[in-house]
Amino acid sequence: MGVYSYAQRSGGRFGKLSEATGLTAAQPAIFPQTPGSLDWLLGPALQELPQSEDAFQVAVFAPLDAKDLPVMVFLPGGGFVSGAGTVRWYDAQDFAEKQNCVVAVVNYRIGLLAHNQQVGGGNTPPEELLLALEWVQRNIAELGGNPQEVTLAGQSAGAFWAFALAQLEAARGLFNRLYVGSLSFQPPMGETQAQERNAVMAQALNGTALAEASTEQLLAAGTALAQAWAGRGLGLYPSTDESVPADLFDTARAVERLHVKQLLLSYTADEASAFIGMAPEQAFTVDSVRGFIAGNFNEPQEVFDALVAAEPQATAKSLMVRAMSLHQIQLYAVELADAAAAAGIQVQLLGFEVRSPLPHAGSAHCLELPFLFGNRERWQDAPMLDGVADELFEQTAKVLGDALGSFIRLGTAATGDNNALAVHQTGAQSLTALDETGLIKREIQRQFSTRRPVLA
């Protein structure tokens, strides 16, 4: 592995970035952050690395004597407020060797550093992520990769940014294919939402400008925002600007802008358990579940009845996990796949259904990551893997790794014996899923019709 700087700041905290020339080695660091809300699943690895506002770094993994190999540029998640590409979770050496490719995992700014001067003042990650992709174009051949064969990949918040870049004209030609894991329906915030957050931030900073506040003050203000929106959504997430259009998640408009010809989408079976799994059962009532369904689905009574019928003993909390997972991630993936397939883009869908023995986790958001990279030893303190049998881990990692590796090399996800996963057709009734028994066919729940806000 090598860690390199891909950009550098000039002119203060929000000054214009410039490219880092050549292969400038760097000591691994992460952008400033507080402990993540998913540490109960993932463990404390993010707390091991030094924090810096100059952590514009890319970690590169390649087989020995690599030459002209296809490349995956991976953008990690973290709910827009935590995470980093340099953390040991994303050690892709084993993946690179088994899949015969080069992997570059990118750090990008998070929290209030991702908002230029104020919330709503413009998102900073697009600028640096473009510089990272351009760095790959200039330097990856020296590290064994082929700059003409680049797959952009992202998970969770990283999937948001990968999805945005795949619609951004300035990124055209910097990658050929797109993989997004657990892409959540999260339209960027508008002016009203931004100003509400700026009011909370101003109070937390006691009038100090974002550009002048200390790092500790920024983190404290970020915590205040998270607390203010607890139970209502994210305190911080991207806002609309020239790189992030308001209609980013409008499937018809998104596919018109997409500049890739192959798309791989994946999600886990119990996405929302990661976010509400540790909340007490009494925090959820049948009425609150009905309220969420009414606000996010057409024919809410039919949806509620179907969820109860599928799991008659489910608690209100379990029903909420199911409803949130469907609306925010799973059904949006199907809607996007339908639109992309209709537009002539090759699309494949993959559901991840292996479940963790950890109480309240199930097949949670992020559970697929150690299987994807096949690096269990780098997740040795992740509670979500406690009790997962080595044999199950290895067989699942092989199937998932082979599918992504094939997509990176050939543009089509397939098993190790070259059996391609189903190519999605608009209106398809099933998709490929991976559970403890291997690859299976899973029915798409098209009886559930979602409500999506009109996006300007």
Side-chain angles (χ1 to χ4, degrees), residues 443-455:
E443 180 184 359
I444 295 174
Q445 294 181 297
R446 289 191 177 275
Q447 74 271 29
F448 300 139
S449 172
T450 60
R451 289 184 179 180
R452 307 288 183 194
V454 176
L455 306 172

Side-chain angles (χ1 to χ4, degrees), residues 36-109:
S37 61
L38 300 191
D39 284 5
W40 73 278
L41 289 169
L42 310 178
L46 281 167
Q47 300 171 38
E48 298 171 356
L49 292 174
Q51 300 190 5
S52 169
E53 292 192 28
D54 292 298
F56 301 100
Q57 297 175 349
V58 55
V60 180
F61 306 85
L64 186 66
D65 299 325
K67 184 178 181 181
D68 204 32
L69 297 181
V71 179
M72 175 176 72
V73 176
F74 189 87
L75 310 182
F80 305 107
V81 295
S82 67
T86 46
V87 71
R88 56 178 157 88
W89 295 331
Y90 304 108
D91 183 335
Q93 189 60 44
D94 187 68
F95 179 90
E97 292 173 0
K98 288 181 177 177
Q99 303 305 329
N100 202 32
C101 65
V102 175
V103 180
V105 193
V106 183
N107 282 357
Y108 57 89
R109 279 178 284 190

Side-chain angles (χ1 to χ4, degrees), residues 58-338:
V58 55
V60 180
F61 306 85
L64 186 66
D65 299 325
K67 184 178 181 181
D68 204 32
L69 297 181
V71 179
M72 175 176 72
V73 176
F74 189 87
L75 310 182
F80 305 107
V81 295
S82 67
T86 46
V87 71
R88 56 178 157 88
W89 295 331
Y90 304 108
D91 183 335
Q93 189 60 44
D94 187 68
F95 179 90
E97 292 173 0
K98 288 181 177 177
Q99 303 305 329
N100 202 32
C101 65
V102 175
V103 180
V105 193
V106 183
N107 282 357
Y108 57 89
R109 279 178 284 190
I110 52 178
L112 285 167
L113 291 175
H115 299 266
N116 193 352
Q117 307 290 344
Q118 62 176 350
V119 181
N123 306 290
T124 60
E127 178 189 10
E128 60 224 43
L129 290 173
L130 284 171
L131 286 173
L133 289 165
E134 291 164 356
W135 182 94
V136 168
Q137 289 295 308
R138 293 192 309 272
N139 296 290
I140 208 66
E142 190 173 344
L143 299 170
N146 180 354
Q148 301 306 310
E149 288 292 331
V150 176
T151 296
L152 181 62
Q155 188 267 344
S156 191
F160 178 102
W161 289 118
F163 188 47
L165 288 164
Q167 298 181 50
L168 185 61
E169 189 62 28
R172 183 182 293 272
L174 297 177
F175 50 91
N176 316 93
R177 305 178 181 109
L178 178 66
Y179 163 59
V180 286
S182 299
L183 175 66
S184 181
F185 179 75
Q186 184 67 65
M189 72 173 80
E191 183 177 354
T192 299
Q193 297 162 308
Q195 291 311 313
E196 290 172 349
R197 285 157 173 81
N198 283 327
V200 173
M201 182 184 72
Q203 184 174 7
L205 293 177
N206 196 27
T208 304
L210 203 58
E212 304 301 327
S214 68
T215 300
E216 291 72 21
Q217 287 177 301
L218 291 187
L219 294 177
T223 298
L225 285 163
Q227 292 172 343
W229 269 268
R232 297 191 289 151
L234 297 176
L236 278 175
Y237 60 97
S239 60
T240 56
D241 66 7
E242 59 185 15
S243 298
V244 181
D247 60 0
L248 183 74
F249 281 83
D250 182 299
T251 56
R253 295 178 181 177
V255 299
E256 289 178 357
R257 292 187 292 256
L258 284 177
H259 47 79
V260 294
K261 290 301 182 184
Q262 292 99 22
L263 172 62
L264 176 61
L265 297 159
S266 73
Y267 56 72
T268 70
D270 306 303
E271 294 276 3
S273 65
F275 310 110
I276 65 175
M278 293 301 287
E281 292 284 348
Q282 58 268 31
F284 302 90
T285 64
V286 169
D287 284 345
S288 66
V289 175
R290 287 185 177 277
F292 178 85
I293 291 173
N296 292 287
F297 291 88
N298 299 309
E299 301 178 347
Q301 185 62 52
E302 287 81 353
V303 173
F304 179 83
D305 290 345
L307 294 182
V308 172
E311 195 177 352
Q313 304 305 314
T315 64
K317 178 179 172 180
S318 296
L319 292 172
M320 186 68 86
V321 167
R322 190 76 192 104
M324 290 176 63
S325 300
L326 279 166
H327 180 268
Q328 293 301 113
I329 298 179
Q330 296 166 354
L331 291 178
Y332 183 73
V334 173
E335 294 161 18
L336 177 59
D338 281 350

Side-chain angles (χ1 to χ4, degrees), residues 338-411:
D338 281 350
I345 297 171
Q346 178 191 287
V347 188
Q348 292 173 287
L349 278 169
L350 178 60
F352 184 84
E353 300 184 0
V354 174
R355 286 176 165 80
S356 168
L358 181 69
H360 313 300
S363 186
H365 189 77
C366 294
L367 180 61
E368 83 284 8
L369 289 171
F371 297 91
L372 186 68
F373 287 97
N375 60 352
R376 183 173 191 165
E377 72 283 356
R378 308 302 279 162
W379 296 76
Q380 71 271 15
D381 49 4
M384 67 183 183
L385 290 185
D386 287 349
V388 175
D390 288 341
E391 182 180 2
L392 174 61
F393 184 90
E394 293 301 326
Q395 70 185 31
T396 304
K398 176 171 172 46
V399 175
L400 197 57
D402 284 349
L404 180 56
S406 175
F407 184 74
I408 294 166
R409 294 189 306 272
L410 305 172

